[in-house]
Amino acid sequence: MDVFRTPDERFADLPGYPFEPHYADVDGLRLHYLDEGEGRTVVCFHGEPSWSYLYRTMVPPLVAGGHRVICPDYAGFGRSDKPTDRGWYTYDRHVDLMTRLLEQLDVRDAIAVVQDWGGPIGLRWAVENPDRAGALAVLNTGLFTGRVGKGFMAWRNFAERNPDLPVGFVIQGATTTELPDEVVAAYEAPFPNPESKAGAAQFPLIVPIAEDAVGATEMKAVLEALGRWDKPAMVAFSDSDPVFPYPRAGEIFCDAIATAGEQVKIEGAAHFLQEDRGEEIAERILERLG
């Protein structure tokens, strides 16, 4: 298997990202993760085409609130190794790698924070590993069981036409905040060439868009398992996300998870709400989930 490893110098002096890298070997791949603070663990699952940089403003307040914060980069993203064969990337494989990584780190009773593709990956991890997951914070995500909206199909079609995905452009287009050039460049840092973008290019195409598509059955099972979730949960969606529109997209999770309570509305934020309102979201997590 051919693997691209982004040179370390690409990650030097990224704005607002002073964290030390940590690495684990999982199935022959070097996976990167942030590991900051002490206390009850918060695991932050990123989406597409972002990486752990997305959570940089949430880490300090969560650490100050008495938590250990782990932000992994999936294979193909961030500082993790990037297999160059697009066919290598599957839903099951991402879940397996994250499960094995968090086993190595002996994570228990964690608050799982999920957004975008972090939802299918992180929520499946949580329901399949109940001894390791103790609470859920569900942000701007969905479980795809064969039906998708127009907003997602527009994104999927764009990604299919642009395999050399313009990562910074995508992030900027999905935030309400006007990002400085150096922040846009930080999101692009892991992806210096088309070879490094195999995972980012493939992720939208592995979303099941038909009931018999690969992954649809597994995501349906996750949604059903959430109906049996009896631990704390919070659902918070932003008011300006065309892919997962408020309130409808969040209501699916509020209806499924008995402990979720009323959906939290994050105002003035788009799809990547961690970029737009990261500190506010961290405070909501501390208030609702401890």
Side-chain angles (χ1 to χ4, degrees), residues 138 223 226-227 229 233-237 246-265 288:
V138 184
L223 189 59
L226 289 174
W229 184 266
M234 179 186 82
V235 176
F237 278 55
Y246 178 91
R248 187 174 70 251
E251 286 172 349
I252 294 171
F253 293 101
C254 290
D255 291 343
I257 306 170
T259 58
E262 184 177 354
Q263 182 177 182
V264 176
K265 181 180 181 180
R288 291 280 294 269

Side-chain angles (χ1 to χ4, degrees), residues 1-232:
M1 177 175 61
D2 291 331
V3 172
F4 181 89
R5 180 172 292 175
T6 305
D8 287 343
E9 56 265 25
R10 296 275 301 180
F11 301 99
D13 301 320
L14 299 184
Y17 192 80
F19 313 112
E20 289 295 320
H22 298 267
Y23 297 100
D25 185 272
V26 182
D27 199 23
L29 294 172
R30 190 182 78 166
L31 298 184
H32 167 260
Y33 59 97
L34 300 185
D35 194 343
E36 298 286 322
E38 297 179 353
R40 185 184 186 187
T41 303
V42 179
V43 181
C44 300
F45 294 86
H46 70 80
E48 146 77 6
S50 61
W51 57 290
S52 56
Y53 187 77
L54 180 67
Y55 284 101
R56 70 192 183 282
T57 63
M58 292 179 59
V59 172
L62 290 172
V63 168
H67 291 282
R68 175 193 184 191
V69 184
I70 296 173
C71 302
D73 289 334
Y74 308 142
F77 294 82
R79 299 186 77 146
S80 290
D81 282 348
K82 303 171 179 66
T84 58
D85 176 10
R86 288 177 57 169
W88 180 91
Y89 293 91
T90 68
Y91 177 38
D92 285 349
R93 181 164 274 147
H94 279 297
V95 173
D96 179 63
L97 289 172
M98 287 298 101
T99 299
R100 292 165 68 178
L101 172 65
L102 295 172
E103 284 176 356
Q104 283 193 32
L105 299 179
D106 196 28
V107 167
R108 297 187 182 277
D109 191 37
I111 300 171
V113 182
V114 306
Q115 185 261 339
D116 190 86
W117 254 105
I121 294 170
L123 293 175
R124 183 173 169 186
W125 170 78
V127 300
E128 291 182 351
N129 297 272
D131 58 326
R132 299 190 182 278
L136 304 175
V138 184
L139 319 171
N140 285 16
T141 189
L143 289 166
F144 299 97
T145 58
R147 296 182 179 181
V148 295
K150 293 180 179 179
F152 173 78
M153 284 306 300
W155 157 237
R156 186 184 192 277
N157 293 337
F158 175 84
E160 192 168 22
R161 294 193 306 268
N162 297 275
D164 186 7
L165 201 66
V167 172
F169 173 82
V170 171
I171 299 291
Q172 178 64 91
T175 62
T176 58
T177 309
E178 185 64 34
L179 303 180
D181 290 346
E182 58 269 24
V183 170
V184 174
Y187 279 110
E188 294 177 337
F191 310 108
N193 53 38
E195 183 183 30
S196 65
K197 299 180 183 180
Q202 190 66 12
F203 240 143
L205 306 186
I206 62 175
V207 170
I209 58 174
E211 291 184 1
D212 59 350
V214 174
T217 298
E218 290 80 2
M219 294 198 200
K220 183 178 180 181
V222 174
L223 189 59
E224 291 173 350
L226 289 174
R228 300 184 292 274
W229 184 266
D230 59 1
K231 302 172 186 178

